Amino acid sequence: MADEEGVEEEEVLEGVEGSDTGASPQVDRKPLDPPKYEVRPGLGEKFQAENVYEIILSSMQEQLMGRQYRADQAPRWVRTIANGIRQRTQELGMKRYKILVQTVVVEMKGAGLMMGKRCLWDPETDQYVHALFKNDSIYCHTTVYAVYMY
């Protein structure tokens, strides 16, 4: 009887070791590393407001310097300015920032202009930069918003 019990145990052990269910003994498994989440940008990855301000000014001057306001050309100028600023800002290599550009071009006729903005965001990571271009007939205001994507 003792021999029969030993045979049964050996068969059961062989079935467990050779099974395809992955129930082999855990001998050499190492624990998984905890997941890494980037909640804040690194030291060199923050939004570069000074560089973006220079990009805004140069883009507006390149497009609008020496021009007179024309209502049929203003939408094209706005698209060119906004797309150029967005592309050049993204080339700065600030990882995980969503870049939003808003450009307004209006004719200067002596009337006042009021603009307002209200944003809800994280003040430690998100930021905005704005600049103004004026000549005799054009008033252009551009704002670049940088929102960190968690």
Side-chain angles (χ1 to χ4, degrees):
M1 250 197 214
D3 292 334
E4 291 177 8
E5 289 178 11
V7 172
E8 289 178 15
E9 287 178 12
E10 288 178 16
E11 290 176 5
V12 170
L13 289 177
E14 286 178 14
V16 169
E17 288 178 11
S19 69
D20 292 334
T21 60
S24 62
Q26 296 180 1
V27 177
D28 292 334
R29 287 191 182 181
K30 72 180 203 184
L32 297 174
D33 293 332
K36 297 176 184 173
Y37 300 104
E38 293 183 32
V39 180
R40 301 278 182 249
L43 187 58
E45 298 171 347
K46 284 203 164 205
F47 183 67
Q48 302 168 12
E50 299 82 20
N51 294 341
V52 175
Y53 181 76
E54 295 299 324
I55 290 171
I56 294 170
L57 284 179
S58 66
S59 295
M60 288 191 299
Q61 288 174 354
E62 288 171 8
Q63 189 65 32
L64 300 174
M65 186 66 72
R67 295 193 179 192
Q68 296 296 317
Y69 182 81
R70 291 182 48 193
D72 60 331
Q73 293 294 314
R76 186 177 59 82
W77 296 340
V78 168
R79 277 193 303 277
T80 303
I81 291 169
N83 289 337
I85 291 171
R86 184 180 48 80
Q87 287 174 350
R88 289 174 60 188
T89 301
Q90 288 175 338
E91 290 171 1
L92 293 175
M94 296 173 286
K95 295 188 327 185
R96 300 187 66 175
Y97 273 99
K98 176 73 173 177
I99 305 298
L100 307 161
V101 181
Q102 178 185 24
T103 301
V104 177
V105 174
V106 295
E107 184 177 12
M108 296 259 303
K109 285 191 167 183
L113 175 69
M114 291 185 67
M115 296 177 68
K117 48 187 128 191
R118 181 175 288 174
C119 301
L120 180 62
W121 60 27
D122 185 355
E124 293 181 19
T125 59
D126 305 336
Q127 196 171 0
Y128 75 95
V129 179
H130 63 98
L132 174 67
F133 173 85
K134 287 196 272 186
N135 67 13
D136 294 338
S137 67
I138 297 174
Y139 179 92
C140 180
H141 183 266
T142 299
T143 306
V144 175
Y145 300 94
V147 180
Y148 190 75
M149 304 300 284
Y150 293 103

